[in-house]
Amino acid sequence: TFHAAVAVACVATVLCAQPEIGGVDYSTHPVVRTAAGEHAFKVQRDQSLGTTAARELLKSAPKGSRCCNSNGGLSLDDRVQFGTSQPISGVDGSNGASDAHLTQCANTTAPLTHSTRVAIVTQATAAVDGYARYASAINSVYAAHRGYSFSVYADDPHLMPASYEYRYGKVPLLLRLMQSPSHAHVAYFLWIDADAIVLDHSYDVVARLANENPGKHIIGCREALISTNNVINSGTLLLRNTPWTLAFLRAWMAHPDALIGAPDQHTFDELWRANHLDVRGKTALLPANAFNSEPPFFETFRTPRQQPVLHLMGENERVRKGIFGRAWRGLCARSAGGAPGRVRARGRTVTSGGGGGGGDGGG
């Protein structure tokens, strides 16, 4: 038995008359602090958020679900009480090698079946595996509980031209999956960046978004930072599997600015301003916290019931690993042991450490 959803009641905002979207300008802090005071505030907020996320995940996670179905993953019935004093591999001083199996576990926790209606998709390169492994483990539990599939893909040099900006990978990957016969029966694709996790597992966020925005082919959240001048934050996107969405993804992929390294959010904005394929009429743009986040997270974070997705855009690896590691530790009982070294993501093998970068940076 789960609590009724009370978190996100957002009315779709489709801006057909204005090419520009307002947001919150965080270029200056509302509270003036010294450098030392600001650092202390962030450290305290990091710890508080990590604890809150872990405890709320414990409350909302379904009993009996499995964190991973390999390497001895324990049932949530066997989970232990979260405590900030308990060391976390790869988070509190160790190298995290014993958690390296989490990416592989995530890819086997919620497999695609003939009845799958929603596919959650992400991409993680070797450079971001230190925190992406925890995010993937958390998101795969949510997918399995909801009857979705979950897949984390590695970087693929054949996915797009070398001149494309590294975060552009979501566009050709979604395009490939939407054209694949194996995914023809999937109704929705939910893209989630490697630096984002679903916080509230107690209700079906995809069903709610789809029901509240009938007739829309793309559902996304506004970019909260005025300084970026972006319309949408593509860290989380819900896409209907329709011919229109496929045509838009092709246009997004082929935009001339992409060939010279422009980010995917920039080219989306260009298509938005031109109203290409009536994208404004086909897209629902929701407030940033509908299923994304407003930076800086340490000042805007709400409870999981108010903010079902936590997206740590622009944060460093220490912050991401610390918060996601604690959230995962709170959600899933620590498995004994684990295979260090190489982990398997769909498409190719990812080795911990090194270059690359899905989910890194500010987008």
Side-chain angles (χ1 to χ4, degrees):
T1 302
F2 306 103
H3 296 296
V6 296
V8 183
C10 302
V11 178
T13 305
V14 182
L15 301 179
C16 299
Q18 303 181 65
E20 300 293 334
I21 294 178
V24 180
D25 188 356
Y26 288 109
S27 57
T28 59
H29 286 286
V31 178
V32 178
R33 303 183 181 94
T34 64
E38 183 67 19
H39 174 73
F41 172 77
K42 288 184 179 181
V43 170
Q44 182 181 24
R45 191 70 177 111
D46 289 358
Q47 294 174 344
S48 175
L49 178 53
T51 303
T52 299
R55 288 177 175 163
E56 290 299 326
L57 277 169
L58 276 171
K59 292 177 184 177
S60 67
K63 295 281 268 184
S65 294
R66 301 185 68 84
C67 292
C68 300
N69 58 15
S70 64
N71 281 19
L74 298 177
S75 164
L76 291 185
D77 290 330
D78 303 319
R79 59 198 170 185
V80 298
Q81 180 63 38
F82 172 78
T84 55
S85 61
Q86 197 164 10
I88 301 171
S89 179
V91 178
D92 294 323
S94 62
N95 61 15
S98 60
D99 292 338
H101 69 285
L102 289 179
T103 301
Q104 185 173 6
C105 284
N107 259 340
T108 59
T109 297
L112 182 75
T113 70
H114 68 277
S115 61
T116 299
R117 299 293 291 165
V118 177
I120 303 180
V121 182
T122 191
Q123 186 177 42
T125 66
V128 304
D129 178 60
Y131 60 81
R133 63 180 65 168
Y134 299 109
S136 295
I138 291 168
N139 293 333
S140 68
V141 171
Y142 178 75
H145 172 52
R146 290 295 157 196
Y148 304 162
S149 68
F150 178 84
S151 300
V152 50
Y153 291 83
D155 55 333
D156 182 350
H158 305 295
L159 196 60
M160 59 186 181
S163 61
Y164 276 53
E165 205 257 356
Y166 69 95
R167 286 170 293 186
Y168 221 96
K170 61 172 69 82
V171 180
L173 180 53
L174 288 166
L175 185 60
R176 176 186 293 182
L177 293 176
M178 200 166 286
Q179 295 178 106
S180 171
S182 64
H183 288 73
H185 62 288
V186 173
Y188 282 92
F189 291 89
L190 175 63
W191 173 268
I192 187 165
D193 274 0
D195 58 350
I197 60 172
V198 179
L199 281 175
D200 191 347
H201 289 206
S202 65
Y203 80 103
D204 192 333
V205 64
V206 173
R208 182 159 193 169
L209 290 170
N211 290 337
E212 290 180 349
N213 300 279
K216 302 303 179 184
H217 297 251
I218 297 176
I219 303 173
C221 292
R222 302 178 185 179
E223 174 60 72
L225 291 175
I226 290 177
S227 58
T228 65
N229 200 35
N230 290 135
V231 170
I232 198 169
N233 185 290
S234 62
T236 53
L237 291 172
L238 184 61
L239 301 96
R240 282 179 62 197
N241 190 0
T242 64
W244 183 92
T245 307
L246 185 61
F248 182 81
L249 285 173
R250 287 172 175 153
W252 197 1
M253 184 65 192
H255 196 282
D257 288 358
L259 294 169
I260 56 175
D264 62 286
Q265 291 182 179
H266 165 82
T267 51
F268 183 96
D269 292 351
E270 292 300 308
L271 294 170
W272 178 273
R273 292 184 175 96
N275 200 22
H276 185 74
L277 297 178
D278 188 30
V279 62
R280 298 186 198 174
K282 303 291 187 180
T283 302
L285 284 177
L286 309 182
N289 280 321
F291 66 115
N292 206 307
S293 297
E294 291 183 49
F297 77 92
F298 53 87
E299 289 188 345
T300 64
F301 176 71
R302 305 176 184 178
T303 67
R305 291 302 178 90
Q306 297 171 304
Q307 180 181 331
V309 172
L310 176 65
H311 183 194
L312 297 182
M313 62 190 86
E315 295 296 336
N316 60 46
E317 182 173 0
R318 178 192 63 80
V319 171
R320 288 166 170 166
K321 184 187 291 186
I323 290 176
F324 293 162
R326 285 176 173 80
W328 170 77
R329 182 64 183 80
L331 175 66
C332 301
R334 184 75 177 91
S335 297
R342 298 168 72 81
V343 295
R344 173 66 62 178
R346 299 194 192 279
R348 57 180 292 198
T349 298
V350 177
T351 304
S352 299
D360 201 15

